[in-house]
Structure formats: C-alpha cells, structure tokens
Amino acid sequence: MPGLNDLYQEILLEHNSKPRNFRKLEEANRSADGYNPLCGDQIQLYLKVEDDKIIDVGFQGTGCAISRASASMLTQSVKGQSVERAQEIFDAFHTMLTEPDAELDYDTLDDLECLAGVSEFPTRIKCAVLAWHTLLAALDGKSEGVTTE
Amino acid sequence: MTTNASGFDVARIREDFPILDQMVNGKPLVYLDNAATTQKPQVVIDALVNYYTSDNSNVHRGVHTLSQRATEDFDIGRSKARQFLNAGSDQEIIFVKGTTDGINLVAQSYARPNLGEGDDIIISTMEHHSNIIPWQVLCQEKGAHLRVIPISDAGELLIDEYEKLLTPRTKLVAITHVSNVLGTVNPIEQIVEIAHNRGVPVLVDGAQAVPHMAVDVQKLGCDFYVFSGHKIYGPTGIGVLYGKSELLEAMPPYQLGSEMIKSVTFEHTIYNDLPFKFEPGTPHIAGVIGMGAAIDYLNGIGMDRIDAYEHDLLEYGMECLSGIDGVQLIGTAPGKSSVMSFVMDSAHPHDIGTILDTEGVAVRTGHHCAQPLMHRFGVPATARASLSFYNTKDEIDLLVKAIDRVIEVFS
C-alpha cells in the first residue's frame, strides 16, 4: 500500500487550499462542465482561445482535494500554451495516471508529476482526470457535461 | 471487547463473521459501512453452500425429492420473513430483488392504476433515491404532484407540515422508517394513523430499520413495508415486500410469466393466488434460504438486545465524533439509529474516505443516493460511519484516531 504522503503531497494540499485561476472567466469563448455524480465532484472550466492559443483559463466548482488541486494545476500548465501543446500535456498526464509502466515525460509534466501518486489509488483516478477531460471537451466545443466515472 | 452488562458477548459474535478477521492496508479491518451492506455470518454462508451442494432444484414444479426439499426450504423462508415482520399471513410476503424492486412493484401495480391527473403522492426530504424516483416519474407521467415533507435541522420530520400536505387528492404516502444518511427513526405509527384518518395508504421503506430493531407491521399499521436481505446479514438480490392482502389481491401483476399463473391458453390467462401472482419466473431460491438463515441468526441474538447494544454504541460514537474540532455531525435527532454522517472543515468526504481506508477503516462517502437531502443540508457529500452489533467501542476509537490522521494530513 503506498503511503498517504505519496498521495497528499504538500504541493497538492497547497493547490487545494489556494486554487489558482479559481474564477469565472467573463471573456471566455469556450467552456465545459464536468461532473462525477457518484462523488459529487463538479467543475466548470472556462477558456479564452485565440488563434489556437489558450490565452486565459479559469475554473469553478466543488470537489475533493485531488480534483481541485488537479484543476488548479491544469490552469497553470495550459495557460499560454497552444491547443496542440495542451493536448500533449493531457496525454502525458493521462499516461502517468493510467499506465503505471509507461515512461514519464517529465519535461511536459513539470509540477503535475506530484499527482503521480494518485495512480496507486484506483478509486481516485477519476477525481484527478475530471478537469482534464473537461478541458478537452471545452477545446472540442462540446457542450454536454463530461464525466469520468 | 468483552461481555457487557447485558450479557452481549461481542467477541463471541465477531467469530461468527469470518470476513471481519482480516488486515486492510496493514491494519485490522474496521468495517463501518453497514448501512451499505452488512457482512454475512458463517451460518448464512453455510446455508447457501449447503443448498447448492445438496438440495439445488427448482421449486413448486417437480415431484422428485430434490425439488421437494428445495420447495420446503423456500416456503419455510417465507414463513421466517412473515414472522420477522409479524405479518398476518405468508401470502402477504412477496419476494423481490430488494427494497428498490419492492417500491417499483408498488409504484407500478398499486399507484399507477390509482393515480390521476392532479393527484398527490407524499414523500419526505430524507428519502433514498429509490423512494423518490419511482414516484417522481409516475407523477410526471400522470400529471400528478410529488409533495415533500420538510425536516428540521436536526433531521426530524415536521409532522405539522406533513398534515398540511395531506389533501383529498393524496393517493399514497411513501416514507422511510430510518434515514440512511441521518439515522433518524421516523414515527411510523403516527404517520400511518394520520394518513389512515384520511383514507390514504402508506408504504414504508424499511431497508435501514429491519437490521436494527424489531419491526411489527401490524403494530405499525402500514399498508406496504419493504426491505432488503443483504442489509440483514443475508445475501444480495433478495428482499421482501409486505403488503396487506386486500390491497395485494386487488393489484394487477407487476411482471408476467411462469409461476404467477393458474392456467394459460393462447386466448386467456388466469393469475395465481398471492403471493405467487407477484413472483413470476424461477425465484432466487438460494437467496430466500440464505435470508431465512440470517433471520434465524438475528432471532438467536434477539432484535431487542441488538437494538440496545447498538444504541449504546451509537451514543458512544456520537459523543466521540462531536468532541472532535472541525467535525460536524449531520443528523442529530434524538433516538436515532446506527448511522453517523459527518463533514469536516478541512477535508472533502472523499479525501476522508481514502485516508480512513489507509487506516483500515471502511466508511461510505458521497451523497448516499440522497441528493435532495444533501441539498437540504448544503453539502455535496458526507462521510458516513454506520454501525452493526458486531462493531465495538474499540473500533469507534480507531475511527476517531483515523479522523485525527485526516486532520493531520490537511492541517
């Protein structure tokens, strides 16, 4: 059994208590909702995208520490990136959580690596990936709600 | 874990439940998710194994020996369930898949033909989704109204408000006996009396009551009472719908097929008598036999002794949890049953659940299939520790220690 410290790392707890870009983006031109009904985790993600570049990003919602910290870190890692790069970050993040034997792309993951411990807690992976699937839905222009349950 | 003053030997009882004796994440298992499902005593496991090993056969069909044995045990299972609820006769005991199935049966076979446009069905704020949605969808279809009894901040039904909701258009009251989130024990006798004074029948969701207290449907006076076998230490997939025979007689069958018929031609079918009219197809024979073994086991201990022991344990648990800074209990009605729901200032229920699990403590986290109740208390979810007579005060202490760990991680 992996230790709790692998899961609730200091940086994750810090993002949970002080989430970054935790606001509704008034000038957003893309948005999507994510909802895990069994958990009650709920997120609204807002993007301002211009010329295939994510100019700004914000989120709101309620959820556990893992979903909230993951959403907060998502906003930091994709802000200012191209849509294509955001997809690469998503892929690297998703691989880290769902393919334990895969080699990690540390350059792409950067701080997100602190969420690697979640992969040892299978029931919590859905919390960590909710914001990220919501991001893809917003980029794809999908209006219906996303769920990772 | 010693025999207490009332002679309740918990250590001895725990030996009846093989699953309890194990380590989880390097810690002794503390199973506090009994409101979700209860663990099974060896006698129930043995009853299932023996049935499949020695007696497996279809019931009410064969003349051969195995079929006779299976039929006899199956029929005895019905009598045990009847005695357990103190119903008037075996034909008032309908075997269903569980509480949800029983409620759907009543919604479709009783309420549907009796509900018209502008009529009302009354439920309460503290219902499980399974005692909301069957009525909600039926009301929508019929143009009827679903009326909801409000509750106090402690989690008690507001009886005055309930009385105001009853009108000549009320066709049914569907109410839980014990809340799966709050532990509140509702005053069913009073609720039934008020409804019956206006000629309105009452269905009681007993899923969270029957594991914890002696239930007498004749004393309660209710028209329908439903519970699940797996919450009384029996198998999953089996449950009981009790219904007054005059109501059941008048109701059309819920599902159609074999077993529920007397004679069939291509032009016409004559339905079987109660209870078989509501039990088409091969029933869950092993489930009925296993549930019967569970009822025997509970009777062997005595429901009144279980009630007293669990009440003492709950009182201790509520006292311990209410003493922790940053923990808020949801559901504080006096005389409540074995459920302790709580939220914490520092941690979301799912984080609480994960950290408790690393300490070997199993609790449920989430909305507990009672989202409207979560809205009532303004929380997205709660953590819920729910007790059984095999739990101990030592285990409550381990729960408290595990909660301290949550506080430590999130400090």
Side-chain angles (χ1 to χ4, degrees), chain B residues 12 26 33 39 84 89-90 119 122 133 143 150 174 176 254 267 270 274 278 306 311 329 340 357 373 409:
Chain B
R12 170 68 202 82
D33 194 16
Q39 301 302 346
F84 190 57
S89 80
D90 281 9
D119 285 341
I122 295 179
I133 305 167
T176 190
Y254 174 41
E267 290 74 34
I270 301 172
L274 291 176
F278 292 104
I306 287 172
H311 190 78
L329 284 156
M340 300 185 288
D357 183 55
L373 184 61
V409 169

Side-chain angles (χ1 to χ4, degrees), chain A residues 1 8 13 35 37 39 65 124, chain B residues 25 350-351 354 367 371 409:
Chain A
M1 182 73 193
Y8 294 109
L13 294 170
Y35 181 37
C39 291
R124 306 304 299 280
Chain B
N25 297 323
H350 281 94
D351 299 312
T354 293
H367 54 60
Q371 284 181 326
V409 169

